[in-house]
mmCIF file with all atom_site columns, all heavy atoms in Angstrom:
data_model
loop_
_atom_site.group_PDB
_atom_site.id
_atom_site.type_symbol
_atom_site.label_atom_id
_atom_site.label_alt_id
_atom_site.label_comp_id
_atom_site.label_asym_id
_atom_site.label_entity_id
_atom_site.label_seq_id
_atom_site.pdbx_PDB_ins_code
_atom_site.Cartn_x
_atom_site.Cartn_y
_atom_site.Cartn_z
_atom_site.occupancy
_atom_site.B_iso_or_equiv
_atom_site.pdbx_formal_charge
_atom_site.auth_seq_id
_atom_site.auth_comp_id
_atom_site.auth_asym_id
_atom_site.auth_atom_id
_atom_site.pdbx_PDB_model_num
ATOM 1  N N   . HIS A 1 211 ? -11.695 -10.283 -8.120 1.00 0.00 ? 211 HIS A N   1
ATOM 2  C CA  . HIS A 1 211 ? -11.906 -11.727 -8.290 1.00 0.00 ? 211 HIS A CA  1
ATOM 3  C C   . HIS A 1 211 ? -11.465 -12.504 -7.056 1.00 0.00 ? 211 HIS A C   1
ATOM 4  O O   . HIS A 1 211 ? -12.201 -13.376 -6.567 1.00 0.00 ? 211 HIS A O   1
ATOM 5  C CB  . HIS A 1 211 ? -11.132 -12.222 -9.509 1.00 0.00 ? 211 HIS A CB  1
ATOM 6  C CG  . HIS A 1 211 ? -11.048 -13.714 -9.580 1.00 0.00 ? 211 HIS A CG  1
ATOM 7  N ND1 . HIS A 1 211 ? -12.123 -14.509 -9.902 1.00 0.00 ? 211 HIS A ND1 1
ATOM 8  C CD2 . HIS A 1 211 ? -10.007 -14.564 -9.332 1.00 0.00 ? 211 HIS A CD2 1
ATOM 9  C CE1 . HIS A 1 211 ? -11.755 -15.788 -9.859 1.00 0.00 ? 211 HIS A CE1 1
ATOM 10 N NE2 . HIS A 1 211 ? -10.485 -15.839 -9.517 1.00 0.00 ? 211 HIS A NE2 1
ATOM 11 N N   . PHE A 1 212 ? -10.275 -12.211 -6.539 1.00 0.00 ? 212 PHE A N   1
ATOM 12 C CA  . PHE A 1 212 ? -9.790  -12.934 -5.361 1.00 0.00 ? 212 PHE A CA  1
ATOM 13 C C   . PHE A 1 212 ? -10.709 -12.693 -4.163 1.00 0.00 ? 212 PHE A C   1
ATOM 14 O O   . PHE A 1 212 ? -11.037 -13.613 -3.411 1.00 0.00 ? 212 PHE A O   1
ATOM 15 C CB  . PHE A 1 212 ? -8.366  -12.494 -5.018 1.00 0.00 ? 212 PHE A CB  1
ATOM 16 C CG  . PHE A 1 212 ? -7.324  -13.079 -5.920 1.00 0.00 ? 212 PHE A CG  1
ATOM 17 C CD1 . PHE A 1 212 ? -6.296  -12.294 -6.424 1.00 0.00 ? 212 PHE A CD1 1
ATOM 18 C CD2 . PHE A 1 212 ? -7.342  -14.421 -6.262 1.00 0.00 ? 212 PHE A CD2 1
ATOM 19 C CE1 . PHE A 1 212 ? -5.330  -12.824 -7.256 1.00 0.00 ? 212 PHE A CE1 1
ATOM 20 C CE2 . PHE A 1 212 ? -6.381  -14.963 -7.094 1.00 0.00 ? 212 PHE A CE2 1
ATOM 21 C CZ  . PHE A 1 212 ? -5.368  -14.163 -7.596 1.00 0.00 ? 212 PHE A CZ  1
ATOM 22 N N   . ALA A 1 213 ? -11.112 -11.441 -3.956 1.00 0.00 ? 213 ALA A N   1
ATOM 23 C CA  . ALA A 1 213 ? -11.981 -11.125 -2.818 1.00 0.00 ? 213 ALA A CA  1
ATOM 24 C C   . ALA A 1 213 ? -13.294 -11.895 -2.895 1.00 0.00 ? 213 ALA A C   1
ATOM 25 O O   . ALA A 1 213 ? -13.729 -12.517 -1.917 1.00 0.00 ? 213 ALA A O   1
ATOM 26 C CB  . ALA A 1 213 ? -12.245 -9.622  -2.769 1.00 0.00 ? 213 ALA A CB  1
ATOM 27 N N   . LEU A 1 214 ? -13.918 -11.883 -4.059 1.00 0.00 ? 214 LEU A N   1
ATOM 28 C CA  . LEU A 1 214 ? -15.237 -12.488 -4.198 1.00 0.00 ? 214 LEU A CA  1
ATOM 29 C C   . LEU A 1 214 ? -15.178 -14.008 -4.257 1.00 0.00 ? 214 LEU A C   1
ATOM 30 O O   . LEU A 1 214 ? -16.019 -14.692 -3.658 1.00 0.00 ? 214 LEU A O   1
ATOM 31 C CB  . LEU A 1 214 ? -15.929 -11.930 -5.446 1.00 0.00 ? 214 LEU A CB  1
ATOM 32 C CG  . LEU A 1 214 ? -16.232 -10.430 -5.380 1.00 0.00 ? 214 LEU A CG  1
ATOM 33 C CD1 . LEU A 1 214 ? -16.588 -9.890  -6.762 1.00 0.00 ? 214 LEU A CD1 1
ATOM 34 C CD2 . LEU A 1 214 ? -17.364 -10.152 -4.398 1.00 0.00 ? 214 LEU A CD2 1
ATOM 35 N N   . SER A 1 215 ? -14.201 -14.562 -4.958 1.00 0.00 ? 215 SER A N   1
ATOM 36 C CA  . SER A 1 215 ? -14.118 -16.021 -5.069 1.00 0.00 ? 215 SER A CA  1
ATOM 37 C C   . SER A 1 215 ? -13.777 -16.653 -3.724 1.00 0.00 ? 215 SER A C   1
ATOM 38 O O   . SER A 1 215 ? -14.312 -17.712 -3.368 1.00 0.00 ? 215 SER A O   1
ATOM 39 C CB  . SER A 1 215 ? -13.084 -16.423 -6.128 1.00 0.00 ? 215 SER A CB  1
ATOM 40 O OG  . SER A 1 215 ? -11.784 -15.982 -5.771 1.00 0.00 ? 215 SER A OG  1
ATOM 41 N N   . ARG A 1 216 ? -12.908 -16.025 -2.949 1.00 0.00 ? 216 ARG A N   1
ATOM 42 C CA  . ARG A 1 216 ? -12.561 -16.566 -1.637 1.00 0.00 ? 216 ARG A CA  1
ATOM 43 C C   . ARG A 1 216 ? -13.714 -16.407 -0.652 1.00 0.00 ? 216 ARG A C   1
ATOM 44 O O   . ARG A 1 216 ? -13.916 -17.262 0.207  1.00 0.00 ? 216 ARG A O   1
ATOM 45 C CB  . ARG A 1 216 ? -11.288 -15.893 -1.127 1.00 0.00 ? 216 ARG A CB  1
ATOM 46 C CG  . ARG A 1 216 ? -10.064 -16.318 -1.933 1.00 0.00 ? 216 ARG A CG  1
ATOM 47 C CD  . ARG A 1 216 ? -8.860  -15.453 -1.688 1.00 0.00 ? 216 ARG A CD  1
ATOM 48 N NE  . ARG A 1 216 ? -7.742  -15.907 -2.509 1.00 0.00 ? 216 ARG A NE  1
ATOM 49 C CZ  . ARG A 1 216 ? -6.582  -15.269 -2.619 1.00 0.00 ? 216 ARG A CZ  1
ATOM 50 N NH1 . ARG A 1 216 ? -6.390  -14.137 -1.950 1.00 0.00 ? 216 ARG A NH1 1
ATOM 51 N NH2 . ARG A 1 216 ? -5.624  -15.747 -3.388 1.00 0.00 ? 216 ARG A NH2 1
ATOM 52 N N   . LEU A 1 217 ? -14.460 -15.328 -0.778 1.00 0.00 ? 217 LEU A N   1
ATOM 53 C CA  . LEU A 1 217 ? -15.646 -15.175 0.052  1.00 0.00 ? 217 LEU A CA  1
ATOM 54 C C   . LEU A 1 217 ? -16.682 -16.242 -0.302 1.00 0.00 ? 217 LEU A C   1
ATOM 55 O O   . LEU A 1 217 ? -17.283 -16.857 0.587  1.00 0.00 ? 217 LEU A O   1
ATOM 56 C CB  . LEU A 1 217 ? -16.241 -13.780 -0.136 1.00 0.00 ? 217 LEU A CB  1
ATOM 57 C CG  . LEU A 1 217 ? -17.607 -13.529 0.511  1.00 0.00 ? 217 LEU A CG  1
ATOM 58 C CD1 . LEU A 1 217 ? -17.561 -13.780 2.018  1.00 0.00 ? 217 LEU A CD1 1
ATOM 59 C CD2 . LEU A 1 217 ? -18.074 -12.111 0.217  1.00 0.00 ? 217 LEU A CD2 1
ATOM 60 N N   . GLU A 1 218 ? -16.882 -16.468 -1.587 1.00 0.00 ? 218 GLU A N   1
ATOM 61 C CA  . GLU A 1 218 ? -17.842 -17.485 -2.008 1.00 0.00 ? 218 GLU A CA  1
ATOM 62 C C   . GLU A 1 218 ? -17.442 -18.862 -1.488 1.00 0.00 ? 218 GLU A C   1
ATOM 63 O O   . GLU A 1 218 ? -18.296 -19.685 -1.141 1.00 0.00 ? 218 GLU A O   1
ATOM 64 C CB  . GLU A 1 218 ? -17.933 -17.516 -3.542 1.00 0.00 ? 218 GLU A CB  1
ATOM 65 C CG  . GLU A 1 218 ? -18.592 -16.297 -4.156 1.00 0.00 ? 218 GLU A CG  1
ATOM 66 C CD  . GLU A 1 218 ? -20.108 -16.345 -4.067 1.00 0.00 ? 218 GLU A CD  1
ATOM 67 O OE1 . GLU A 1 218 ? -20.643 -17.300 -3.461 1.00 0.00 ? 218 GLU A OE1 1
ATOM 68 O OE2 . GLU A 1 218 ? -20.757 -15.432 -4.596 1.00 0.00 ? 218 GLU A OE2 1
ATOM 69 N N   . ALA A 1 219 ? -16.144 -19.130 -1.416 1.00 0.00 ? 219 ALA A N   1
ATOM 70 C CA  . ALA A 1 219 ? -15.688 -20.435 -0.959 1.00 0.00 ? 219 ALA A CA  1
ATOM 71 C C   . ALA A 1 219 ? -16.028 -20.681 0.508  1.00 0.00 ? 219 ALA A C   1
ATOM 72 O O   . ALA A 1 219 ? -16.286 -21.817 0.907  1.00 0.00 ? 219 ALA A O   1
ATOM 73 C CB  . ALA A 1 219 ? -14.177 -20.563 -1.176 1.00 0.00 ? 219 ALA A CB  1
ATOM 74 N N   . LYS A 1 220 ? -16.029 -19.617 1.307  1.00 0.00 ? 220 LYS A N   1
ATOM 75 C CA  . LYS A 1 220 ? -16.320 -19.752 2.738  1.00 0.00 ? 220 LYS A CA  1
ATOM 76 C C   . LYS A 1 220 ? -17.737 -19.343 3.097  1.00 0.00 ? 220 LYS A C   1
ATOM 77 O O   . LYS A 1 220 ? -18.315 -19.828 4.065  1.00 0.00 ? 220 LYS A O   1
ATOM 78 C CB  . LYS A 1 220 ? -15.325 -18.927 3.550  1.00 0.00 ? 220 LYS A CB  1
ATOM 79 C CG  . LYS A 1 220 ? -13.930 -19.547 3.623  1.00 0.00 ? 220 LYS A CG  1
ATOM 80 C CD  . LYS A 1 220 ? -13.023 -18.745 4.532  1.00 0.00 ? 220 LYS A CD  1
ATOM 81 C CE  . LYS A 1 220 ? -11.769 -19.538 4.908  1.00 0.00 ? 220 LYS A CE  1
ATOM 82 N NZ  . LYS A 1 220 ? -10.952 -19.933 3.766  1.00 0.00 ? 220 LYS A NZ  1
ATOM 83 N N   . GLY A 1 221 ? -18.303 -18.424 2.359  1.00 0.00 ? 221 GLY A N   1
ATOM 84 C CA  . GLY A 1 221 ? -19.669 -18.005 2.623  1.00 0.00 ? 221 GLY A CA  1
ATOM 85 C C   . GLY A 1 221 ? -19.804 -16.858 3.605  1.00 0.00 ? 221 GLY A C   1
ATOM 86 O O   . GLY A 1 221 ? -20.891 -16.280 3.749  1.00 0.00 ? 221 GLY A O   1
#
Side-chain angles (χ1 to χ4, degrees):
H211 167 72
F212 283 136
L214 295 166
S215 62
R216 290 166 181 173
L217 171 58
E218 290 281 4
K220 286 185 165 60

